[in-house]
């Protein structure tokens, strides 16, 4: 009888040990999974913080470059303008201020194809940029592309209908493309707006009738 009782007690003890061992293993696995999740969350947070810090540093650097570029524009240093705003555009290709400044600097240094590329991108991104259209028209005119220069000046005059210089320039472009009537009309309007060059051009075109 006592052997049977001992056997039952031993069996019960073994069962308890097994349950405790199994529960401990399960608890350990759960703890390890929680630690893994926590570690991954910390790594993701650290990565996000690092990315934000890097973006802030890049933004600060671009601000410095823009400041340098503006100073170069004020000083008339086209080479420095091209360098500074070129660096800005490397990090921010859609920066319209940089596109305008570098485009004009390229034009001033007779790098007309590069100027045209920057200025076309500018007006594509910001179609209401009057200065961009004016600069593009000038570059196209210098390249002898009067039809497209006229189109660019159309945009200028849509934005600023009383722009006498744009009217004078479009009169010249129209004359070179064979539109004598349109050229005289633009020259007359420029003259009426008080532009001396417009009056001179109007008189010259009137003498060609």
């Amino acid at each position: 009888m006592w052997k049977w009782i001992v056997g039952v007690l031993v069996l019960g003890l073994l069962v308890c040990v097994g349950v405790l061992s199994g529960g401990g293993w399960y608890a350990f696995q759960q703890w390890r999974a929680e630690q893994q999740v926590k570690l991954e969350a910390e790594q993701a947070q650290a990565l996000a913080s690092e990315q934000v810090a890097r973006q802030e540093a890049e933004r600060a650097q671009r601000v410095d470059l823009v400041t340098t570029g503006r100073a170069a524009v004020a000083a008339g240093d086209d080479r420095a303008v091209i360098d500074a705003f070129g660096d800005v555009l490397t990090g921010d290709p859609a920066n319209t201020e940089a596109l305008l400044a570098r485009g004009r600097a390229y034009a001033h240094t007779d790098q007309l194809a590069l100027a045209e590329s920057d200025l076309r991108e500018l007006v594509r991104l910001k179609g209401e940029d009057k200065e961009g259209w004016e600069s593009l028209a000038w570059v196209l005119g210098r390249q002898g592309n009067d039809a497209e220069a006229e189109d660019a000046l159309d945009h200028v005059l849509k934005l600023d209908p009383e722009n006498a210089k744009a009217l004078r320039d479009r009169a010249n472009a129209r004359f070179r493309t064979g539109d004598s009537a349109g050229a005289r009309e633009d020259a007359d309007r420029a003259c009426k707006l008080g532009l001396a060059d417009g009056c001179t051009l109007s008189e010259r075109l009137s003498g060609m009738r």
Side-chain angles (χ1 to χ4, degrees), residues 56-184:
E56 287 298 325
E58 290 173 352
R59 189 176 296 111
Q61 183 181 29
R62 282 198 297 273
V63 169
D64 290 342
L65 287 168
V66 167
T67 301
T68 300
R70 288 172 178 170
V73 170
D77 187 344
D78 292 316
R79 184 67 261 170
V81 171
I82 291 169
D83 289 342
F85 281 115
D87 287 339
V88 172
L89 289 165
T90 297
D92 183 10
N95 188 306
T96 54
E97 179 184 356
L99 286 167
L100 177 62
R102 191 176 71 170
R104 284 176 164 176
Y106 278 142
H108 295 161
T109 55
D110 288 325
Q111 300 179 77
L112 299 181
L114 292 172
E116 181 183 347
S117 177
D118 275 357
L119 295 168
R120 282 193 184 280
E121 179 63 7
L122 164 61
V123 296
R124 185 189 72 80
L125 291 169
K126 191 179 178 183
E128 72 281 8
D129 194 307
K130 187 183 74 169
E131 290 181 308
W133 285 113
E134 286 174 334
S135 299
L136 179 59
W138 187 88
V139 168
L140 292 169
R142 282 288 303 277
Q143 291 175 305
N145 192 344
D146 292 307
E148 290 198 76
E150 181 182 338
D151 180 70
L153 290 163
D154 287 345
H155 284 88
V156 174
L157 289 163
K158 284 179 184 177
L159 295 166
D160 182 11
E162 303 297 298
N163 190 317
K165 290 182 179 179
L167 285 165
R168 176 204 61 197
D169 292 342
R170 192 173 68 173
N172 281 314
R174 282 180 164 178
F175 178 76
R176 288 191 294 266
T177 57
D179 182 7
S180 299
R184 284 194 296 271

Side-chain angles (χ1 to χ4, degrees), residues 17-68:
V17 170
V19 170
L20 291 173
S21 298
W25 179 86
Y26 175 77
F28 172 73
Q29 290 296 104
Q30 187 176 22
W31 174 84
R32 189 167 68 174
E34 290 172 353
Q35 291 302 305
Q36 182 64 29
V37 170
K38 182 179 179 182
L39 177 62
E40 290 175 356
E42 289 174 349
Q43 289 175 337
Q45 185 176 6
L47 183 62
S49 298
E50 182 182 340
Q51 185 175 5
V52 169
R54 184 169 60 252
Q55 289 173 343
E56 287 298 325
E58 290 173 352
R59 189 176 296 111
Q61 183 181 29
R62 282 198 297 273
V63 169
D64 290 342
L65 287 168
V66 167
T67 301
T68 300

